[in-house]
Amino acid sequence: MKNIEALIDDGGDITLGAIYPIKCAATAADGHNSVAMLVRREGETLNALLKRLDKAIGKFYDGGDAVDEINGC
C-alpha cells in the first residue's frame, strides 16, 4: 500500500471508523486537503477497503482528483 505509506510519510493521515450515520468509512488527508473519503461496501473486508483507499490516494497524486463517497461527489 505504497500510496498510504507515502501519504503518511509526507505528514498526512488516514482514519477508519464510523462517521455518523455511516457505519464504517476510510478517509485520507494530506494536511491541507481531503484526499479520499470512502464508504465501506456491504461485505467488503477491511483489507479490501484499505486497498481501495490506497488506489484513491494514488488517483489524487496522479491528477489531483479527490474521491468523495461520503458527500456524494
Side-chain angles (χ1 to χ4, degrees):
M1 295 190 203
K2 66 180 182 177
N3 296 311
I4 291 174
E5 187 173 342
L7 177 78
I8 292 170
D9 286 348
D10 288 340
D13 64 82
I14 65 167
T15 303
L16 296 173
I19 300 174
Y20 184 81
I22 299 163
K23 290 182 181 181
C24 185
T27 63
D30 69 1
H32 300 27
N33 301 297
S34 175
V35 172
M37 296 187 288
L38 305 178
V39 176
R40 187 178 183 188
R41 297 172 180 160
E42 188 173 330
E44 184 175 36
T45 66
L46 283 177
N47 190 46
L49 177 60
L50 284 172
K51 286 180 181 180
R52 277 200 311 123
L53 183 64
D54 191 69
K55 287 181 183 180
I57 293 167
K59 181 178 177 181
F60 180 82
Y61 282 154
D62 289 343
D65 296 324
V67 177
D68 184 353
E69 296 178 354
I70 292 178
N71 295 302
C73 296

